[in-house]
């Protein structure tokens, strides 16, 4: 930029500065006072006196829902669902517009029922492992699976080291077997600790 350009810019700045002698505001109005004594006002719409304006309501300014109640916007208002959904470790999702708890806890694709007669089920495929631990007291013995299979892949029962197990029938709901003395093949008719293992789809 040449010297003439710098001088021109300075002249424009001086003219702008000289044309305005004051700037003031009152509530929503800004007033510009020029050097010739005239004024111009600008009104900013929808702005109330900032010192007395009502504080806007914020999401989270009050307690909504709980650890097991989902919240949603109802006409712009944060609202708790009408019923308890899930728990502290189970996420929820919308199923055809209804807030629904997932089948399994966060971080796990398995649902497990613990105990001496229990099962562990992989939720996406239905693959299930089942077990049973206890005493059987009949000559012809039968154990009901803790939950029914839709497809059974494998099932077996074991007893103590001096007993032989012979499975006589198996279905999607139970397994039947006999026990024989491992030394002489005589039928074992007394109480005997047994363990069941089975796997399939449920």
């Amino acid at each position: 930029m040449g010297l003439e350009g710098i001088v021109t810019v300075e002249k424009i700045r001086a003219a702008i500065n000289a044309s305005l002698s004051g700037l003031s505001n009152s509530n929503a109005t800004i007033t510009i006072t020029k050097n010739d004594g005239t004024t111009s006002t600008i009104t900013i719409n929808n702005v109330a006196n900032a010192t007395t304006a009502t504080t806007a309501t914020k999401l989270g300014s009050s307690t909504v829902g709980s650890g097991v109640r989902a919240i949603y916007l109802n006409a712009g208002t944060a609202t708790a669902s009408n019923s308890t959904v899930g728990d502290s470790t189970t996420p929820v999702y919308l199923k055809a517009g209804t807030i629904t708890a997932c089948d399994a806890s966060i971080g796990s694709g398995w649902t497990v029922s613990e105990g001496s007669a229990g099962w562990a089920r992989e939720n996406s495929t239905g693959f299930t492992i089942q077990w049973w631990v206890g005493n059987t007291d009949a000559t012809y013995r039968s154990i009901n699976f803790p939950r029914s299979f839709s497809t059974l892949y494998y099932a077996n029962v074991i007893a103590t080291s001096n007993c032989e197990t012979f499975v006589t029938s198996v279905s999607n709901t139970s397994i039947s077997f006999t026990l024989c003395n491992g030394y002489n093949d005589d039928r074992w008719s007394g109480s005997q600790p047994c363990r069941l293992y089975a796997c399939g789809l449920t």
Side-chain angles (χ1 to χ4, degrees):
M1 181 182 293
L3 183 60
E4 290 184 1
I6 297 175
V7 172
T8 300
V9 171
E10 292 301 324
K11 286 182 178 180
I12 293 172
R13 288 178 177 172
I16 292 173
N17 292 335
S19 64
L20 301 178
S21 63
L23 181 67
S24 62
N25 73 288
S26 175
N27 292 334
T29 301
I30 297 175
T31 301
I32 298 173
T33 304
K34 301 177 182 179
N35 273 336
D36 61 5
T38 61
T39 60
S40 295
T41 60
I42 300 173
T43 301
I44 303 175
N45 293 328
N46 301 323
V47 177
N49 188 336
T51 58
T52 60
T54 303
T55 303
T57 301
K58 301 180 293 296
L59 179 64
S61 60
S62 60
T63 300
V64 178
S66 68
V68 293
R69 286 182 182 268
I71 63 172
Y72 63 97
L73 286 179
N74 184 356
T77 301
T79 307
S81 61
N82 292 330
S83 59
T84 298
V85 180
D87 58 32
S88 59
T89 62
T90 302
V92 297
Y93 66 100
L94 282 178
K95 181 179 180 181
T98 301
I99 298 174
T100 307
C102 291
D103 292 334
S105 298
I106 295 174
S108 173
W110 289 76
T111 301
V112 179
S113 175
E114 298 178 350
S116 59
W119 49 268
R121 182 179 187 272
E122 202 284 315
N123 297 298
S124 62
T125 63
F127 178 75
T128 303
I129 299 170
Q130 301 199 52
W131 60 88
W132 181 95
V133 179
N135 289 336
T136 57
D137 296 309
T139 301
Y140 295 95
R141 307 161 200 267
S142 180
I143 299 173
N144 292 326
F145 299 135
R147 62 181 291 164
S148 297
F149 288 102
S150 59
T151 302
L152 176 65
Y153 294 149
Y154 176 85
N156 200 6
V157 176
I158 60 173
T160 56
S161 59
N162 64 335
C163 277
E164 295 177 338
T165 303
F166 297 91
V167 175
T168 57
S169 66
V170 64
S171 69
N172 285 341
T173 59
S174 65
I175 184 171
S176 297
F177 58 99
T178 61
L179 294 178
C180 290
N181 189 312
Y183 300 114
N184 54 25
D185 288 336
D186 289 342
R187 184 69 52 82
W188 192 294
S189 59
S191 175
Q192 182 67 38
C194 293
R195 298 174 183 271
L196 160 74
Y197 173 85
C199 65
L201 301 179
T202 62

